[in-house]
Amino acid sequence: MDFKKKLVNIIKKAIDLEERYIVIDPVPRNFMNDFDYVLSCFKLVKIFKKDPNEIAVEIYEKISIDLDLKILEKIEVFNAYVNFRINRELFTCKIIREIVNKKENFLKNNIGKNKVVLFDYSSPNIAKPFHVGHLRSTIIGNVLKNIFKVLGYKTISINHLGDWGTQFGKLITAYKLWGNKEKDININFLNKLYIKFHKESEKNKELNKTARDNFIKMQNDDPENIGLWKLFNNISLSEFKKSYENLGINFDFYIGESFFNDKMDFVIKELNKKKLLIKSNDASIVDLSDYKMSPCLILKSDGGTLYPTRDIAAAIYRMNKFNFYKCIYVTAIDQNLHFAQFFKVLELMGYKWAKNLIHVSYGLVNLEDGKISTRHGKIILMQDLLNQAIDNAKKIILEKNPKLKNKDKTAEIIGINSVIFNYIYNSRTKNIIFSWERALNFEGETGPYVQYTFVRTCSILKKSKLTDFDKLIKDIDFNVLSDNISWKIAKILYEFKEKIIESSEKLEPCVISRHIMNLAQAFNEFYRDNIILDNNNKKTRDARLILVYCVNMVLKLCLDILGMKTCETM
Ligand code: ARG
């Protein structure tokens, strides 16, 4: 059911205008009591070459003649605007019927049928700490994948681990110098070694050379160095996987950078064949000055490959293996140039599909006292954040609901949800200044607030003892739900499908999280102002209950998309 589309069709029929010119917007919420949609005629001035107010009157008159009174209850002209009011009863009836009929499938769509979309996200660097900055990629990538899945795409998630590169030379050097007596080598120990290396190398420049040599040895399959590389990989990876488990995040593939070591000769050959590779100070580069970009570095002076070289090889591999429709990379904004460069190189290599590579960047996560720096140990570890959030949730539960069963499980769900929601509630392009206070805040527009609303719907439904909503829907008086707040809820529910499409187009999770917040707030207003389980008035009770059922269903579906688990009590 798509009222907006119907409205556009009505207007189209009346004034014979191409659909793309008819832009109908929802009336801003504070004005919604009178009207629901508005057509602004300012945009039509160029076509009709008339005063916009005159256009509005003309459209109004034409539409009024063959007005479909079933949908439109009222239409009015105000200056250059034509305002429409939709028949609430009919609208609410349709949307609620649709939700009850389709249930878990309510939000599903098949626009993505037969199309494969790849998501490259999280992709932390091995032997470097997994910090709160990477969490942003991890969460945004996972939500985007879920959004595309709901839209019917075949989604594939890839963790492009940073498991190759000069940082290993440094770590191996540090380990050989200061770490080889340590028995319990864990991630914290590796982090400390990494920081120590940077500190010491500022004083002793020789260390950098040793690190380079160790990396070259590693590239040449030196058994000792390769052994250490494997050890560090295993330690990091098992630690990362713990965090992923906490977050409820899975990857279809872990294909790290090292996987491409034997696939880069092909890239070099192709680049040479196409005369794209040139020497510059002993290094090999692709000149991108025609595109107003600095050159893309392909080979170092010692012949070693680089991050872009591996990304080029990875993209070609992914295309061959998955034949993707789109390949989406989620990283911080400071990698914009890297992606623009290697996308361009692939295009110059003649790969038409390069236009289907998309970089989704997000603002940096900074600390209150400046930038995150793994080298200087200025970081907040992701796992620390998750643990603190869970502890915090537990404290609140003990204070507010000490008799709750499954306290630990509930605290985990609420704590993790608070982190996830917090990370996607603002536009991804905004920088974040990480503060513990904000990260652990449970009041106001937060994940726990949404979760609490969900619990409220669960408890009403439980108290009602109703289970058969398919039967209940047959006999509902939808007029009961034409009051302002019920109507607001119905409209928000209706808008979710559009919001999901919008968020997929903008590649922006906050379109959904914001709308969820609208729903939660509207529902709490509804709950505050109405008696739902009114045993003296079956008609009202049934209608309100069915609305609660729909809110519950849609909340659950949307929280699933955001990767947030739900609990029914808290
Ligand atoms: N490992 C990189 C980092 O931590 C992110 C990798 C993103 N994916 C890619 N294909 N380049 O910054």
Side-chain angles (χ1 to χ4, degrees):
M1 110 134 169
D2 192 339
F3 276 98
K4 214 164 126 182
K5 211 172 194 164
K6 277 193 184 166
L7 202 51
V8 171
N9 279 334
I10 291 173
I11 299 171
K12 201 167 89 180
K13 227 171 85 196
I15 56 171
D16 189 23
L17 194 67
E18 256 181 79
E19 202 165 310
R20 67 192 159 111
Y21 295 116
I22 308 174
V23 183
I24 292 183
D25 292 310
V27 171
R29 293 225 185 278
N30 14 351
F31 298 110
M32 67 180 276
N33 292 350
D34 278 334
F35 291 100
D36 305 303
Y37 289 111
V38 57
L39 170 78
S40 158
C41 297
F42 288 108
K43 292 163 192 148
L44 302 176
V45 170
K46 267 202 204 128
I47 305 163
F48 286 95
K49 307 208 165 41
K50 267 191 207 160
D51 179 69
N53 295 17
E54 265 173 57
I55 304 173
V57 172
E58 203 168 296
I59 291 177
Y60 167 76
E61 282 170 354
K62 284 197 173 143
I63 298 176
S64 308
I65 297 169
D66 55 15
L67 186 59
D68 178 354
L69 280 171
K70 266 208 202 121
I71 301 172
L72 292 174
E73 195 159 78
K74 194 167 156 196
I75 144 169
E76 200 180 86
V77 169
F78 178 73
N79 295 339
Y81 299 97
V82 189
N83 297 325
F84 303 91
R85 179 152 88 205
I86 284 174
N87 181 318
R88 292 183 175 187
E89 194 178 332
L90 193 79
F91 182 100
T92 308
C93 166
K94 288 214 170 174
I95 183 69
I96 288 187
R97 284 228 166 105
E98 189 179 341
I99 297 172
V100 175
N101 284 340
K102 293 196 178 158
K103 299 199 172 54
E104 287 73 18
N105 293 326
F106 168 60
L107 294 174
K108 282 205 182 130
N109 194 315
N110 61 5
I111 50 179
K113 206 170 152 217
N114 298 329
K115 291 184 184 133
V116 178
V117 181
L118 257 54
F119 294 85
D120 170 330
Y121 58 99
S122 194
S123 308
N125 296 326
I126 290 213
K128 283 195 193 171
F130 202 172
H131 56 70
V132 291
H134 272 120
L135 187 55
R136 214 167 173 192
S137 166
T138 310
I139 293 176
I140 294 175
N142 187 52
V143 178
L144 291 179
K145 183 188 77 176
N146 292 341
I147 291 169
F148 277 76
K149 201 180 254 168
V150 171
L151 294 178
Y153 292 90
K154 178 167 170 32
T155 59
I156 294 174
S157 53
I158 300 181
N159 197 325
H160 185 78
L161 291 167
D163 62 357
W164 199 257
T166 44
Q167 82 263 27
F168 284 97
K170 296 176 183 171
L171 200 62
I172 290 173
T173 306
Y175 178 80
K176 286 181 178 172
L177 284 171
W178 311 298
N180 55 5
K181 297 221 169 54
E182 179 76 26
K183 289 209 181 64
D184 181 25
I185 319 174
N186 56 27
I187 190 90
N188 287 335
F189 180 68
L190 292 183
N191 290 344
K192 275 191 200 133
L193 279 182
Y194 191 72
I195 295 165
K196 180 157 181 174
F197 178 88
H198 284 281
K199 223 182 186 163
E200 297 293 325
S201 65
E202 274 166 25
K203 291 179 254 162
N204 175 1
K205 298 281 168 225
E206 268 304 290
L207 282 179
N208 280 319
K209 190 181 167 307
T210 319
R212 261 196 309 276
D213 290 345
N214 268 323
F215 181 56
I216 292 173
K217 269 167 108 182
M218 193 175 123
Q219 282 176 319
N220 295 334
D221 268 341
D222 171 77
E224 190 190 0
N225 282 9
I226 285 290
L228 286 173
W229 169 73
K230 280 193 182 143
L231 175 74
F232 301 155
N233 264 307
N234 290 338
I235 293 170
S236 300
L237 202 54
S238 65
E239 197 64 27
F240 296 167
K241 284 188 175 166
K242 266 190 232 157
S243 303
Y244 292 142
E245 210 181 297
N246 264 176
L247 286 163
I249 285 178
N250 290 309
F251 290 92
D252 297 313
F253 296 95
Y254 283 85
I255 310 178
E257 293 185 37
S258 67
F259 178 80
F260 300 99
N261 280 346
D262 63 357
K263 295 174 181 59
M264 280 176 291
D265 283 350
F266 173 78
V267 174
I268 310 294
K269 251 190 232 144
E270 284 296 293
L271 284 170
N272 275 323
K273 211 157 76 195
K274 300 199 167 124
K275 306 211 162 23
L276 289 166
L277 212 56
I278 54 172
K279 279 257 182 265
S280 160
N281 298 333
D282 280 347
S284 302
I285 61 165
V286 176
D287 175 41
L288 297 176
S289 56
D290 282 354
Y291 310 95
K292 300 200 168 46
M293 279 187 264
S294 51
C296 184
L297 302 178
I298 303 292
L299 293 174
K300 290 190 279 190
S301 52
D302 65 10
T305 55
L306 289 137
Y307 184 44
T309 332
R310 293 190 278 276
D311 254 328
I312 293 170
I316 296 171
Y317 171 82
R318 289 173 186 178
M319 188 60 202
N320 291 339
K321 187 166 162 87
F322 302 109
N323 192 18
F324 56 76
Y325 165 70
K326 297 266 153 65
C327 177
I328 292 173
Y329 302 79
V330 186
T331 78
I333 205 158
D334 55 358
Q335 295 198 31
N336 278 5
L337 179 64
H338 163 73
F339 283 95
Q341 285 173 323
F342 89 77
F343 289 177
K344 188 47 108 187
V345 172
L346 281 160
E347 188 192 313
L348 295 175
M349 287 170 89
Y351 294 114
K352 295 232 163 51
W353 47 262
K355 64 177 188 311
N356 299 325
L357 305 171
I358 300 170
H359 179 217
V360 174
S361 63
Y362 55 84
L364 300 178
V365 180
N366 293 320
L367 303 183
E368 275 165 332
D369 59 346
K371 258 183 122 170
I372 290 180
S373 160
T374 45
R375 293 179 177 203
H376 299 102
K378 241 180 74 180
I379 47 166
I380 291 171
L381 291 179
M382 174 154 124
Q383 195 58 47
D384 287 348
L385 171 62
L386 300 182
N387 293 343
Q388 289 255 13
I390 296 169
D391 283 353
N392 194 37
K394 181 91 182 275
K395 251 190 245 148
I396 295 177
I397 291 173
L398 286 173
E399 192 184 298
K400 298 205 166 153
N401 190 4
K403 289 204 193 96
L404 183 77
K405 286 184 209 140
N406 293 327
K407 280 194 210 53
D408 286 328
K409 189 77 212 139
T410 310
E412 188 175 329
I413 292 176
I414 298 173
I416 299 288
N417 282 352
S418 73
V419 175
I420 295 180
F421 199 80
N422 193 19
Y423 263 70
I424 48 173
Y425 195 52
N426 287 314
S427 160
R428 65 175 157 82
T429 51
K430 269 198 185 160
N431 287 352
I432 294 183
I433 295 188
F434 183 88
S435 94
W436 276 109
E437 199 189 307
R438 216 168 316 122
L440 301 178
N441 179 20
F442 280 21
E443 306 286 321
E445 298 179 1
T446 61
Y449 174 83
V450 176
Q451 168 62 48
Y452 186 70
T453 311
F454 179 73
V455 166
R456 192 167 254 176
T457 60
C458 291
S459 101
I460 299 168
L461 294 175
K462 210 158 138 200
K463 265 197 213 137
S464 79
K465 298 207 171 62
L466 263 174
T467 45
D468 195 348
F469 287 87
D470 292 310
K471 200 170 139 209
L472 189 70
I473 188 103
K474 296 208 176 95
D475 205 14
I476 295 286
D477 178 359
F478 286 96
N479 199 23
V480 172
L481 301 177
S482 25
D483 63 290
N484 286 343
I485 189 63
S486 313
W487 165 238
K488 186 170 175 178
I489 294 176
K491 270 188 51 164
I492 295 175
L493 290 172
Y494 160 72
E495 284 160 2
F496 265 109
K497 283 200 202 166
E498 290 174 9
K499 293 286 173 188
I500 289 176
I501 293 179
E502 185 187 332
S503 68
S504 77
E505 286 167 354
K506 294 185 176 159
L507 297 155
E508 176 56 275
C510 83
V511 174
I512 297 177
S513 56
R514 297 254 152 194
H515 206 58
I516 291 180
M517 186 52 71
N518 289 341
L519 180 60
Q521 286 170 338
F523 180 78
N524 287 322
E525 200 179 321
F526 169 80
Y527 177 82
R528 188 193 64 206
D529 295 347
N530 291 297
I531 299 169
I532 299 170
L533 298 173
D534 182 355
N535 288 331
N536 300 321
N537 190 343
K538 184 170 169 353
K539 203 169 82 173
T540 308
R541 178 189 154 104
D542 287 355
R544 289 185 178 154
L545 263 175
I546 207 107
L547 188 66
V548 176
Y549 173 81
C550 290
V551 171
N552 174 275
M553 174 70 69
V554 173
L555 268 180
K556 171 89 181 89
L557 293 177
C558 291
L559 291 176
D560 275 353
I561 293 178
L562 300 189
M564 289 163 66
K565 291 191 189 125
T566 44
C567 45
E568 299 197 351
T569 47
M570 73 190 263

